[in-house]
Amino acid sequence: MSDQSVTPTPSPAPPPPTGPRPKMTSRGRTTVPVDSSNSSSTDVPEIEYFGAPGPRGFPPLTEYLDIWDVDMMKRPDESNKMGHHTMLFNSDYLIVRRGQEFQVKITFNRPYKPAEDKFAVEFVIGSSPQYSKGTYIPVFPTKERQSTWEGRITNTSDNVVTMGITPAANCIVGKYHMYVAVLTPHGIRRTKRDNSRDLYILFNPWAADDAVFLNDEKERKECVMTEMGIIYHGAYDDVAERDWNYGQFNYGVLDACLYIMDRSEMPITNRGDPIKVTRKASAMLNSRDDEGVLVGNWSGDYTYGVAPTSWTGSTDILLSYTSSKMPICYAQCWVYAAVFNTFLRCLGIPSRVVTNFYSAHDNDGNLKTDIILDENGRIDRNRTRDSIWNYHCWNECYMSRPDLPPGFGGWQVVDATPQETSDGMYRCGPASVQAIKHGQICYPFDAAFVFAEVNSDVVFYSRSKDGTMEPVKVNRTHVGRMVLTKSPGDVTRRDITNQYKFSEGRTEERTALEKAEEYGCKREKSDPALADVDLVLPTLEISIGDDFELNLEFINRSDEQRTADVYINGSVVYYTGVTSSEFLFRTPTVNLGPQKTVKETVMVESKKYMKHLVEQANLHFIVTGKIRETGQIVTAMKVVTLWMINIVSGVAKVSEEMMATVEFTNPFSFSLEGVYIRMEGPGVMMPKNRYYSLIPAGSSLTWTELFIPHRAGETRVIATLDCPALRQVHGSLQDH
């Protein structure tokens, strides 16, 4: 052997591993895995002996109190579900709300003797229950010994003991397992694990100590118990309505909502905090970064899924997500808001869908939406990047905000539509509506983003050939023109704009905007002189396929002659304000005498716009004019929403069975291909759909569906028709 050392020679590094990246675990970081699954559970032993066994083993416990039966009192007509407002849930399990007493009946093998017998009712949630984490809760029947949940015996009769149990008003929301345990001198004997004794505990807007307490019965009934919603869309001066079945009480929906939190790996211990639950859900309702519920698609091509305009309710979406474990295709803002509303109402958080008309989606974080014009006053579409959505839907949910100063609780904005990232994920909120109104946009979460959606200025810039830009007009009232939601207990709309902003020109409005500027929001400071020529565009109600006249009105307020070089631009736009294609361009010259009004009429032919239409059929007209004598710019914008055909739907009663009928006639000169029709009704009919490969021009179809209502009462059956050539066709009928 040689004594000389061997010098190692470098080798090439091994190739990186291929295949899917292994899932990260908490091994080496925490002593036990983070408990983040409500569906996982651990086996609780039936018998726990104290100490070591004697020479003859453990003694039998049969001579002590034994449990023969447990009645969860879970029928819809019993006191638990009636008192906890959960009687509408289509579920065989007990469903109650926290902070409020519910009762269970326990049958023992003999009469209960308070002086001798000791028992407890135990509640367990998650895979590693611990008393300190609130995931294992023993509830005792005596005043001398109580835990975080209160217990008391409300009645005894022979061998039957009725026990009242009050979950803490801040306890974890989810599905619990329940056991009855009897204490003996030698150990604890429990009931066997029995799925029929599982129960769900929800948020409680009726309980004053709950963070979601809403002290208004009419609002509670609307924002927690109402299954049928109305979502507003269209344009500010031409509002349209869409019925939606939230279906929060339908079979499987509650489990789907809990699965969403499991899928997000949200720690069980966080699920009693509505702030954390709503923030996590706003990320999980979209699929952008976490394989969440819905895939957004604004392209118009829905080949691999369901068109957003085709959905009639949330049930199909949530149940499909739970069964497939895959994101559901496709959604746009109102679908995100509607499904999020189902999630919130199902868990007991008061919520409503809100529509903001002319909603700014600002691309560079200021309070300006920039529209760039060239030197002649024509819009420069290549350089105009900011967009104003004709409308945008989000949710409001009601809760206290102990993390903010007093006064900022109440309604909070949450938004699941993936627009911008917040703390690295596509989510938005909860943001206090009060904070938004008063310009206090420093408070979490995402108040600045929502503030810009309702308060941006529209600034028209004139761009010269050397690239310099000068503001020529500032419109401070266009964005956030109107915020609507459904009126509680009615089918009318409710204008809540004043909850988001003060009236234009008031001192409070100026103060709120100044406060927002202190926190970094930049506004347009310049105030270009107003032109002495006004331009007015009319309000139009046009049906799809119609020719129509666009009448422009120019008003000369000066005492001198004015000549306007006008650019009239008509485009088909998505409801997000993004241009699909231009179908109209005119460049008239308008001569105006002193103090005169001149009308310029433009004929718009349907054959020009029909071939370019995208869903929701919005036409966007921008008219700009440069006044030769003064160099001033005049501008006006108008969104025209084309009215769609409605389907006729009817309901007739046939003994216990009922019959719903959908009728539709193709009014066009061309055939409709690949047509889907959907129909459902809260409490009466689960979602149903039918496919027609072709509906020829002028032909009619009739679809009749028999169904047996799940429960009595007033409801509404809704239907939609959808195909690539025709979107947003719907109808509904009130049903008793």
Side-chain angles (χ1 to χ4, degrees):
M1 292 287 292
S2 169
D3 291 336
Q4 291 181 344
S5 61
V6 179
T7 305
T9 57
S11 305
T18 58
R21 181 179 292 183
K23 189 173 180 179
M24 293 295 103
T25 68
S26 57
R27 184 179 173 187
R29 181 170 167 267
T30 58
T31 54
V32 292
V34 175
D35 192 359
S36 61
S37 175
N38 197 167
S39 58
S40 301
S41 60
T42 187
D43 286 329
V44 178
E46 273 185 63
I47 297 178
E48 279 186 79
Y49 284 103
F50 302 143
R56 298 185 181 182
F58 289 111
L61 303 182
T62 49
E63 62 190 88
Y64 301 102
L65 189 69
D66 193 10
I67 308 112
W68 279 6
D69 185 45
V70 179
D71 178 4
M72 301 295 287
M73 301 174 68
K74 59 188 178 183
R75 291 201 313 271
D77 58 347
E78 289 188 282
S79 59
N80 282 337
K81 286 190 174 179
M82 294 297 288
H84 286 253
H85 306 92
T86 59
M87 60 285 182
L88 297 180
F89 278 97
N90 187 357
S91 172
D92 294 330
Y93 292 97
L94 177 61
I95 303 170
V96 295
R97 300 185 188 275
R98 63 189 194 174
Q100 181 177 337
E101 186 177 80
F102 66 94
Q103 298 188 332
V104 294
K105 286 181 180 175
I106 305 164
T107 304
F108 294 110
N109 61 333
R110 58 170 173 77
Y112 167 65
K113 303 171 187 173
E116 299 174 18
D117 301 326
K118 293 183 179 178
F119 77 93
V121 182
E122 300 174 319
F123 296 89
V124 170
I125 187 170
S127 57
S128 54
Q130 299 173 63
Y131 181 78
S132 61
K133 302 280 189 188
T135 51
Y136 163 72
I137 307 100
V139 183
F140 304 99
T142 58
K143 283 185 178 178
E144 296 75 46
R145 189 172 185 198
Q146 290 287 310
S147 66
T148 53
W149 295 17
E150 289 180 22
R152 69 187 182 108
I153 291 177
T154 59
N155 189 46
T156 56
S157 174
D158 296 328
N159 297 3
V160 180
V161 171
T162 304
M163 185 161 167
I165 299 159
T166 306
N170 62 349
C171 76
I172 294 164
V173 165
K175 187 177 185 179
Y176 288 77
H177 307 307
M178 191 190 94
Y179 302 87
V180 181
V182 173
L183 179 67
T184 73
H186 305 293
I188 297 171
R189 178 165 58 187
R190 287 188 180 86
T191 49
K192 287 183 180 179
R193 169 70 193 274
D194 185 340
N195 289 342
S196 70
R197 295 180 194 141
D198 291 349
L199 74 157
Y200 297 84
I201 297 183
L202 309 180
F203 291 99
N204 193 351
W206 284 267
D209 292 335
D210 197 309
V212 302
F213 175 60
L214 174 57
N215 193 19
D216 183 328
E217 179 55 28
K218 198 172 183 184
E219 286 279 14
R220 274 195 303 243
K221 194 172 179 185
E222 176 68 38
C223 296
V224 180
M225 302 300 290
T226 300
E227 296 171 271
M228 176 59 78
I230 298 173
I231 299 172
Y232 299 99
H233 61 101
Y236 152 74
D237 50 5
D238 190 11
V239 176
E241 298 178 358
R242 163 181 284 279
D243 290 316
W244 190 275
N245 178 15
Y246 297 125
Q248 67 266 35
F249 304 123
N250 280 351
Y251 180 80
V253 169
L254 177 53
D255 284 324
C257 295
L258 299 183
Y259 171 71
I260 290 169
M261 291 195 281
D262 281 358
R263 185 70 182 266
S264 74
E265 299 184 354
M266 181 183 192
I268 290 279
T269 51
N270 288 350
R271 299 190 191 182
D273 184 343
I275 300 169
K276 292 176 179 174
V277 168
T278 53
R279 183 149 176 81
K280 179 63 77 174
S282 82
M284 274 304 296
L285 264 293
N286 69 70
S287 65
R288 281 296 291 265
D289 36 29
D290 45 21
E291 291 293 294
V293 179
L294 283 159
V295 179
N297 185 348
W298 284 262
S299 70
D301 180 4
Y302 309 117
T303 308
Y304 298 102
V306 176
T309 46
S310 187
W311 298 112
T312 49
S314 307
T315 305
D316 256 359
I317 293 169
L318 289 168
L319 298 189
S320 298
Y321 180 68
T322 307
S323 59
S324 71
K325 313 280 191 283
M326 296 286 290
I328 304 304
C329 302
Y330 292 105
Q332 291 175 7
C333 73
W334 74 92
V335 183
Y336 284 115
V339 178
F340 200 174
N341 216 51
T342 300
F343 175 92
L344 295 165
R345 289 188 183 182
C346 183
L347 293 182
I349 301 173
S351 62
R352 58 195 187 191
V353 174
V354 164
T355 304
N356 177 35
F357 287 91
Y358 297 137
S359 190
H361 185 177
D362 191 271
N363 284 345
D364 46 18
N366 56 29
L367 280 180
K368 298 188 299 179
T369 298
D370 303 331
I371 295 177
I372 315 300
L373 311 175
D374 64 20
E375 284 184 308
N376 299 316
R378 181 180 180 180
I379 188 168
D380 186 339
R381 295 206 175 274
N382 292 327
R383 291 186 169 87
T384 299
R385 302 287 169 83
D386 294 350
S387 64
I388 302 171
W389 296 36
N390 296 347
Y391 66 90
H392 178 52
C393 299
W394 58 65
N395 302 81
E396 286 181 1
C397 52
Y398 198 91
M399 66 184 72
S400 63
R401 289 297 300 267
D403 57 324
L404 302 184
F408 292 109
W411 292 110
Q412 313 288 315
V413 171
V414 284
D415 190 352
T417 303
Q419 295 186 89
E420 304 289 344
T421 56
S422 169
D423 296 334
M425 297 185 78
Y426 282 94
R427 58 184 167 188
C428 179
S432 165
V433 174
Q434 273 291 347
I436 293 160
K437 181 173 183 175
H438 291 274
Q440 300 279 4
I441 57 173
C442 59
Y443 294 129
F445 298 86
D446 311 307
F449 182 79
V450 183
F451 185 86
E453 287 184 297
V454 296
N455 282 298
S456 284
D457 297 332
V458 181
V459 185
F460 292 85
Y461 288 95
S462 179
R463 186 180 186 276
S464 60
K465 288 177 181 172
D466 63 3
T468 56
M469 293 204 297
E470 178 189 358
V472 290
K473 183 177 178 182
V474 180
N475 188 334
R476 304 193 191 278
T477 62
H478 184 71
V479 167
R481 188 74 67 87
M482 183 167 64
V483 183
L484 293 181
T485 191
K486 177 180 175 291
S487 297
D490 203 350
V491 291
T492 57
R493 62 199 197 206
R494 178 179 174 189
D495 190 331
I496 57 169
T497 315
N498 63 356
Q499 295 184 23
Y500 282 83
K501 54 206 291 190
F502 292 102
S503 301
E504 209 71 37
R506 284 179 57 182
T507 308
E508 297 96 328
E509 186 227 11
R510 198 160 52 248
T511 305
L513 291 167
E514 287 168 358
K515 180 61 71 176
E517 286 186 276
E518 286 178 25
Y519 294 121
C521 271
K522 298 172 187 169
R523 298 190 72 213
E524 179 57 48
K525 296 290 189 187
S526 60
D527 200 4
L530 291 174
D532 52 19
V533 174
D534 288 335
L535 169 56
V536 179
L537 294 183
T539 297
L540 297 169
E541 286 191 8
I542 310 296
S543 293
I544 190 167
D546 285 357
D547 297 343
F548 62 94
E549 290 182 350
L550 181 70
N551 294 307
L552 319 177
E553 194 172 274
F554 293 85
I555 305 162
N556 182 5
R557 290 183 287 102
S558 76
D559 296 324
E560 299 174 15
Q561 176 75 23
R562 292 287 182 256
T563 307
D565 294 317
V566 180
Y567 291 88
I568 304 170
N569 178 280
S571 303
V572 171
V573 295
Y574 298 94
Y575 83 93
T576 56
V578 175
T579 300
S580 168
S581 51
E582 185 179 281
F583 68 87
L584 175 75
F585 183 66
R586 300 274 191 280
T587 56
T589 299
V590 178
N591 296 301
L592 296 155
Q595 300 290 336
K596 293 288 185 185
T597 296
V598 172
K599 286 192 176 179
E600 181 75 22
T601 299
V602 178
M603 190 67 198
V604 180
E605 298 177 280
S606 62
K607 65 182 181 183
K608 300 283 190 189
Y609 67 75
M610 280 295 290
K611 58 187 175 186
H612 299 296
L613 278 187
V614 292
E615 75 263 22
Q616 300 194 53
N618 292 306
L619 307 183
H620 190 212
F621 295 96
I622 296 185
V623 182
T624 58
K626 189 168 186 178
I627 309 303
R628 289 181 188 174
E629 291 81 2
T630 62
Q632 293 172 323
I633 302 283
V634 292
T635 66
M637 297 186 292
K638 175 67 65 176
V639 174
V640 177
T641 300
L642 299 177
W643 283 87
M644 294 292 192
I645 317 98
N646 281 345
I647 344 174
V648 178
S649 55
V651 177
K653 189 171 182 180
V654 185
S655 64
E656 293 306 309
E657 206 170 37
M658 295 187 76
M659 182 171 67
T661 302
V662 174
E663 297 175 356
F664 172 77
T665 301
N666 178 4
F668 299 115
S669 58
F670 53 86
S671 297
L672 298 175
E673 298 179 7
V675 179
Y676 280 95
I677 300 181
R678 291 171 178 267
M679 178 163 46
E680 67 177 293
V684 293
M685 185 197 293
M686 288 294 279
K688 299 179 183 295
N689 64 74
R690 188 165 281 192
Y691 176 73
Y692 296 85
S693 58
L694 187 76
I695 303 178
S699 68
S700 299
L701 68 85
T702 301
W703 170 27
T704 298
E705 193 71 42
L706 296 173
F707 62 95
I708 298 174
H710 305 157
R711 59 174 183 262
E714 187 176 290
T715 187
R716 189 179 283 261
V717 174
I718 55 179
T720 65
L721 179 145
D722 200 271
C723 65
L726 188 64
R727 308 282 187 200
Q728 198 102 333
V729 180
H730 49 83
S732 66
L733 194 81
Q734 195 79 8
D735 169 37
H736 299 271

